Amino acid sequence: MTVSIIVGGFFGDEGKGKIASFLALRDRPSIAVRCGAVNAGHTVVMGDRVYKLRIVPSAFVSKSTRLLIAPGALARLDVLFREMSATETRGRLFIDERTGIIEERHVEEERRSAHLSKKIGSTLQGVGAAMADRVLRRLRLARDFEELRGMLTDVAAEVNEAADRGEVVHVEGTQGTFLSLYHGTYPYVTSRDTTASAFASEVGLGPRKVDHVIVVFKAYVTRVGAGPLPGELSDDEAERMGLVEYATVTGRRRRVAPFNMELARRAIMLNSATQIAITRIDALFPEARNVREWSKLPLEARRWIERIESELRVPVTIVSTGEDVEVAIDRRRELGVEP
Ligand code: IMP
Ligand code: MG
């Protein structure tokens, strides 16, 4: 059994929340770990309920899964407690004692920065400022907060022991490959590396422990904030194509571009992807909406996906065809990929 890391292949908002929650329901991991910080919003739609998660793992939908927050993550206490109530995960959610805690002054510091707000288009959630404090070794960690007593754990030990026992572990990365501090479109990037190796490191997993790297691509590319977006469509074009989206955390309208094979190829390389998940295929092929079997997808949609597979030489194992957590095609068995 296996350790899988789920990462974004473009600029974030590829639908990692959807894929992580769908896979959690299918695979029932014993542990799911959330990485990254509260600037990244993951949306999980379950029937008529919409969860916009900034720190709780999207795998909360699997009730038997133990939910962890990585030592390399950065949490905010108010966001954490609010989301724990909304998702009713108290008692099965634990935070590493070394997880960094963002405080009000980090948010204030970022709000005062014209560089971050005007030039970079930061989400201004205090993440970069807290990360800077961590690097300067003055950030307070989860173990320093009385409120977290009883929720603290050793994530690296838990995850490695579970993997050694042969249990299924899911690691939820955040944002997207090209927002990476190292591999992205610097300076228009976030304050951490967002590739699979970085998320393994955030958790405390060595590279040899990782079995699957699932790179999530949306059927088109979106970006919020400043920075290059090759092939960017005008607002009118995006509207005509039905590709209007708003950001989960900031509510800003997302910039849109067509699917970009060159970026995708580079994302596959940077993450050493073993699987691809495609989301929002129904935006390009409306008849694909809510389809749950490969053979029932419109022929053009199947051709489009097969072209991605042959160009990138990585199997497209999951195809999301609607928002709901249960609505996707799981091709793993047919493709001979063991979950
Ligand atoms: P920051 O990490 O909040 O400072 O934002 C830096 C850049 O990354 C800005 O362009 C943000 O819009 C972008 N960004 C950060 N987190 C996310 C995310 O979860 N989804 C999409 N864009 C993000
Ligand atoms: Mg998002």
Side-chain angles (χ1 to χ4, degrees):
M1 295 312 271
T2 53
V3 175
S4 300
I5 302 187
I6 299 159
V7 289
F10 290 138
F11 298 95
D13 309 314
E14 300 91 353
K16 287 174 298 298
K18 163 61 193 278
I19 298 300
S21 52
F22 173 79
L23 288 176
L25 284 184
R26 308 277 301 189
D27 299 351
R28 301 285 173 187
S30 57
I31 291 179
V33 195
R34 171 64 145 85
C35 300
V38 294
N39 45 359
H42 292 173
T43 304
V44 176
V45 179
M46 243 184 137
D48 54 7
R49 289 210 62 177
V50 180
Y51 299 89
K52 294 189 181 281
L53 304 172
R54 297 167 57 188
I55 196 68
V56 166
S58 300
F60 82 91
V61 295
S62 162
K63 299 257 187 313
S64 59
T65 298
R66 191 169 161 90
L67 306 169
L68 305 180
I69 298 173
L74 293 169
R76 225 174 73 187
L77 296 188
D78 55 344
V79 175
L80 175 65
F81 288 121
R82 211 184 308 133
E83 290 185 5
M84 277 170 62
S85 310
T87 53
E88 297 171 21
T89 47
R90 194 173 284 277
R92 66 178 174 113
L93 186 142
F94 300 86
I95 184 167
D96 193 274
E97 61 170 60
R98 296 178 178 83
T99 303
I101 302 297
I102 300 168
E103 296 185 65
E104 197 49 40
R105 65 193 154 82
H106 298 116
V107 178
E108 283 160 15
E109 191 183 323
E110 292 200 344
R111 285 203 186 123
R112 283 194 304 270
S113 163
H115 173 73
L116 283 180
S117 63
K118 301 245 155 54
K119 181 173 164 139
I120 306 297
S122 166
T123 63
L124 303 177
Q125 298 301 306
V127 180
M131 194 59 118
D133 271 357
R134 181 143 200 173
V135 173
L136 295 171
R137 284 141 293 172
R138 60 188 185 195
L139 185 70
R140 294 206 291 160
L141 307 182
R143 65 187 180 210
D144 302 320
F145 290 82
E146 197 62 42
E147 305 92 297
L148 296 174
R149 285 281 145 83
M151 282 174 60
L152 298 179
T153 189
D154 179 345
V155 168
E158 280 205 38
V159 167
N160 280 279
E161 284 160 20
D164 291 345
R165 284 194 298 267
E167 296 173 13
V168 174
V169 174
H170 287 181
V171 175
E172 299 181 8
T174 57
Q175 303 156 309
T177 298
F178 299 102
L179 289 178
S180 164
L181 183 59
Y182 304 146
H183 305 291
T185 54
Y186 188 90
Y188 304 103
V189 295
T190 191
S191 49
R192 71 180 62 238
D193 184 11
T194 52
T195 60
S197 322
F199 295 123
S201 161
E202 283 191 24
V203 170
L205 275 165
R208 295 180 56 218
K209 284 268 173 76
V210 179
D211 301 288
H212 290 298
V213 175
I214 304 166
V215 172
V216 184
F217 293 125
K218 194 154 57 183
Y220 47 95
V221 184
T222 59
R223 173 163 205 168
V224 282
L229 179 59
E232 181 166 1
L233 303 173
S234 70
D235 281 1
D236 282 353
E237 283 171 310
E239 258 156 58
R240 229 175 302 127
M241 296 169 71
L243 305 180
V244 179
E245 294 183 11
Y246 295 90
T248 309
V249 174
T250 58
R252 293 180 287 182
R253 180 158 167 179
R254 293 179 182 151
R255 300 158 61 198
V256 183
F259 189 89
N260 187 315
M261 200 66 81
E262 290 318 303
L263 284 180
R265 205 184 309 284
R266 197 168 169 81
I268 296 297
M269 174 187 81
L270 290 167
N271 293 294
S272 65
T274 64
Q275 298 178 48
I276 294 169
I278 300 273
T279 62
R280 295 282 285 142
I281 191 79
D282 53 306
L284 299 193
F285 306 98
E287 275 151 45
R289 188 152 181 86
N290 294 334
V291 168
R292 297 185 199 202
E293 280 171 57
W294 176 249
S295 62
K296 301 215 167 114
L297 272 184
L299 184 62
E300 315 88 86
R302 277 182 275 156
R303 291 234 168 95
W304 190 86
I305 291 165
E306 281 163 355
R307 197 179 126 243
I308 288 179
E309 288 185 311
S310 70
E311 292 262 350
L312 302 178
R313 296 172 189 282
V314 176
V316 173
T317 52
I318 311 290
V319 181
S320 173
T321 57
E323 290 82 18
D324 194 89
V325 63
E326 296 193 20
V327 176
I329 301 165
D330 183 350
R331 300 176 69 211
R332 288 177 296 178
R333 184 169 297 171
E334 158 203 340
L335 294 171
V337 176
E338 206 184 301

